[in-house]
């Protein structure tokens, strides 16, 4: 099939990292072959636009088949993937979200797109914990600008220390805040906490072949008009248009192959349609299969020259896994009862959010935990679904009145925070269990440290204070941090399994995602993250992939590789 | 239009939805047993602490065979969702009871149709017949509640709930439809189960086009240009709320 296509690079994965790497290389004139483990997927024809929950089975409610609801754009994926198990160690709770479809997890994500700051990249220099990244924020800033411009991010420059400004003209205007978000902002302000426009990968102005958001139909369904960013409506078709990209779907990579000297020279993948192994040559390999899937692939690519798995002389492959911390607190707000109804769909998610405000307090030693968190706000007159809020009583006319009184009067503050790497959080290969294709599966180990628990405790107290300032009353005490913190992996921000660094001893790749051990193997997904700031990871995955694929393109052009 | 037809023998729910397959609900014993059987309820409802609560009154100890059909899988057609993803399992009698209860919860209100008129009983039937864990938990809760109501009706009035006059039906409703700290011990469990049913029936009503309109949701329509944000009226309400709370934007 590929006889007439003399590709220079093979990219494994079509999500945020893989699609950006492929687009960048294709645009620079290099031929790229992309392997995707899932099926082909076209949002233009497959997105259930404008569908209501009432039209779906179970009023759209989620279940083991469709974890985030019937219309979740994720197909053939979720917390479980048929025939592709994973295991966990003793006393370890870890959930691994996967998607098996073209575009990977970009078809369904929150699309929150916050830059990491200088502060975020140099945490260890500041507090001695975790690892620093091998570059400065200033080196990445122009790449953030380029990525934001290409992806299309709405938001504003706030000037806050947690939110580095974008270059002039890069951001698209954000949508106006909703009433409950303004009430949160007013309450937070009284407590000295800012609430500002969220940055989201949603177009509010048209771009390329993509339309601007028309503020209807939830982003979680996917977006047939391309307003909400997913690689299947943007980077992938744009890369295909160069003529320099070919894609093979249903191609589950089994291992990276090496020659007799241990140099990587190809890949073996399972063609899922025929269950046949197919061996292909490769001059350069980019792994972007998602942090833990890429690490699994490296660990499963053992050979005489690479007895601990490929690119693993540091023994850091699979270590240092971090998710975001997650918890939340909600309340009924009497002041919002019976408020005038208007269309609060907006661009589906947060128009305002609460960024981390505690840098100065931390510097002064006033906090008992390192690093920060933010709050995402759950509010609004939402489309009816399988749940109705409120402690409802009785029947008849008064029942509907109670339900209407509660409608749009709930506010939920969701905490997303930075986790530090620790020795108890890692993955390895479970040699005893294989997936349908005979590939040994990942085994996860997990334990939160005091850092995360203290942070969650602080977050719950702060959320309670904000909600009480809005007039909420709580009859129950707050749960303990151990009870409240969500499971590892549950926020779906797992990163760090092939981290980058300054030295081959402590890291798997250099700052360009090039593995120290194999100069023609790169990692361009969240595996390379040296830390996991509280900000959602996808924007930084794409920014690194653009920067690092650009560097790789230069290497190829100059004949270095 | 779906409706409940009253006749000499009581009542019958007549659906407008064709039921391709109707597996009869098997293995139900209306034993009026006093054995505890934990009632599933959602997090917002007050949990019934069976261990602490003196078990008073009757409670059917149902033994339901698990639903073993397949779900719709991980790649269903989302553009044309399956209209009948699995066989419905409520018997005609229980579907009728569901319909009567749903219409007591959401009766016709002027131009706004009742629960039954927008096919709420069929949504409940689909829900309790689904092969997923949450729905199977609800199935035991709701079927137990239905059996309890007919048992209670037989004990009080010597006939099934569907055969009672409206006044008699509401006498029972007034005992089960309030799940609070003051609920008498013998009604606690059925009140918790009824709460779950109430939320499901209400959700199903609001998910219908007529119910969505009645609730007031006005989204899911495309807007040309920028998102307009709150109306003047909505901002006025907010400003009053802010003033009452001593807050400012």
């Amino acid at each position: 099939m590929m006889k007439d296509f003399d590709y220079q690079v093979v990219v494994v994965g079509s999500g945020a990292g893989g699609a950006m790497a492929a687009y960048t290389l294709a645009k620079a004139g290099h031929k790229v072959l992309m392997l995707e483990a899932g099926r082909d997927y076209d949002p233009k024809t497959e997105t259930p636009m404008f569908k209501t929950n009432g039209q779906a089975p179970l009023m759209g409610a989620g279940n083991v088949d469709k974890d985030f609801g019937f219309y979740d754009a994720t197909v053939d994926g979720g917390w479980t993937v048929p025939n592709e198990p994973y295991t966990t160690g003793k006393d370890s709770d870890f959930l691994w979200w996967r998607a098996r479809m073209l575009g990977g997890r970009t078809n369904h994500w929150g699309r929150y797109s916050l830059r990491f700051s200088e502060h975020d990249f140099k945490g260890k220099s500041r507090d001695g914990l975790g690892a620093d990244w091998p570059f400065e924020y200033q080196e990445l800033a122009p790449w953030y600008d380029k990525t934001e411009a290409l992806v299309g991010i709405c938001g504003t420059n706030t000037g806050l220390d947690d939110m580095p400004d974008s270059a002039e003209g890069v951001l698209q205007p954000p949508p106006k805040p909703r009433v409950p978000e303004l009430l949160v902002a007013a309450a937070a302000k009284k407590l000295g906490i800012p609430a500002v426009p969220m940055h989201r990968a949603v177009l509010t102005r048209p771009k390329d072949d993509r339309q601007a958001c028309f503020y209807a139909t939830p982003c979680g369904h996917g977006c047939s008009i391309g307003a909400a960013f997913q690689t299947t409506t943007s980077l992938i078709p744009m890369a295909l248009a160069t003529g320099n990209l070919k894609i093979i779907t249903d191609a589950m990579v089994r291992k990276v192959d090496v020659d007799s000297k241990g140099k990587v020279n190809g890949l073996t993948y399972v063609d899922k349609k025929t269950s046949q192994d197919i061996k292909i040559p490769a001059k350069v390999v980019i792994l972007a299969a998602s942090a833990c899937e890429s690490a699994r692939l490296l660990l499963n690519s053992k050979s005489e020259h690479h007895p601990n798995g490929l690119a693993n002389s540091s023994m850091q492959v699979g270590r240092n896994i971090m998710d975001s911390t997650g918890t939340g607190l909600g309340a009924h707000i009497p002041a919002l009862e019976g408020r005038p109804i208007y269309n609060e769909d907006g661009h589906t998610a947060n128009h305002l959010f609460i960024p981390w405000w505690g840098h100065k307090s931390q510097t002064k030693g006033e906090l008992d935990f390192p690093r920060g968190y933010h709050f995402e706000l759950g509010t609004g007159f939402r489309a009816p679904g399988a749940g109705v809020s409120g402690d409802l009583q009785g029947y008849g006319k008064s029942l509907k009145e109670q339900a209407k009184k509660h409608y749009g009067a709930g506010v939920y503050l969701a905490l997303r925070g930075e986790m530090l790497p620790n020795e108890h959080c890692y993955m390895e290969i479970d040699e005893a269990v294989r997936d349908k294709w005979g590939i040994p599966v990942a085994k996860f180990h997990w334990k939160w440290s005091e850092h995360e628990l203290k942070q969650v405790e602080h977050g719950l107290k702060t959320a309670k204070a904000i909600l009480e300032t809005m007039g909420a009353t709580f009859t129950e005490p707050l749960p303990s941090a151990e009870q409240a913190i969500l499971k590892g992996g549950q926020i779906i921000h797992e990163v760090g399994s092939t981290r980058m660094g300054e030295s081959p001893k402590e890291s798997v790749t250099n700052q360009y995602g090039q593995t120290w051990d194999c100069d023609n193997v790169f990692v361009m997904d969240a595996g390379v993250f040296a830390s996991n700031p509280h900000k959602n990871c996808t924007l930084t995955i794409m920014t690194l992939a653009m920067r690092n694929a650009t560097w790789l393109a230069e290497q190829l052009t100059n004949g270095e590789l | 239009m779906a409706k409940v037809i009253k006749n000499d023998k009581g009542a019958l729910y007549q659906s407008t939805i064709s039921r391709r397959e109707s597996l009869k609900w098997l293995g139900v014993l209306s034993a009026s047993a006093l054995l505890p059987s934990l009632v599933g309820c959602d997090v917002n409802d007050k949990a019934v602490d069976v261990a602490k609560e003196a078990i008073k009154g009757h409670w059917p100890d149902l033994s339901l065979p698990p639903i073993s059909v397949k779900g719709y899988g991980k790649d269903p057609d989302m553009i044309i969702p399956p209209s009948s993803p699995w066989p419905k399992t409520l018997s005609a009698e229980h579907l009728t009871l569901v319909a009567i209860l749903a219409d007591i919860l959401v009766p016709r209100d002027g131009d706004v149709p009742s629960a039954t008129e927008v096919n709420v009983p069929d949504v409940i039937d689909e829900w309790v017949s689904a092969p997923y864990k949450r729905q199977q938990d609800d199935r035991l809760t709701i079927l137990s509640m239905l059996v309890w109501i007919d048992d209670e009706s037989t004990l009080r009035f010597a006939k099934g709930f569907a055969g009672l006059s409206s006044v008699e039906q509401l006498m029972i409703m007034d005992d089960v439809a309030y799940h609070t700290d003051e609920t008498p011990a013998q009604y606690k469990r059925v009140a918790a189960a009824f709460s779950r049913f109430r939320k499901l029936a209400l959700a199903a009503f609001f998910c219908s086009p007529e119910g969505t309109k009645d609730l007031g949701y006005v989204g899911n329509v495309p807007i040309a240009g920028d998102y307009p944000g709150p109306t003047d009226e909505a901002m006025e309400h907010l400003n009053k709320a802010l003033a009452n709370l001593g807050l400012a934007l």
Side-chain angles (χ1 to χ4, degrees), chain A residues 7-8 23 50 61 73 87 186 227 275 337 361-362 393 521 538 547:
Chain A
Y7 57 88
Q8 289 143 303
Y23 168 77
F50 297 105
T87 62
S275 294
E337 280 177 11
S361 307
Q362 228 156 28
Q393 302 292 338
V521 176
T538 307
R547 168 184 182 264

Side-chain angles (χ1 to χ4, degrees), chain B residues 9 110 149 167:
Chain B
K9 290 173 192 164
I149 286 194
V167 173

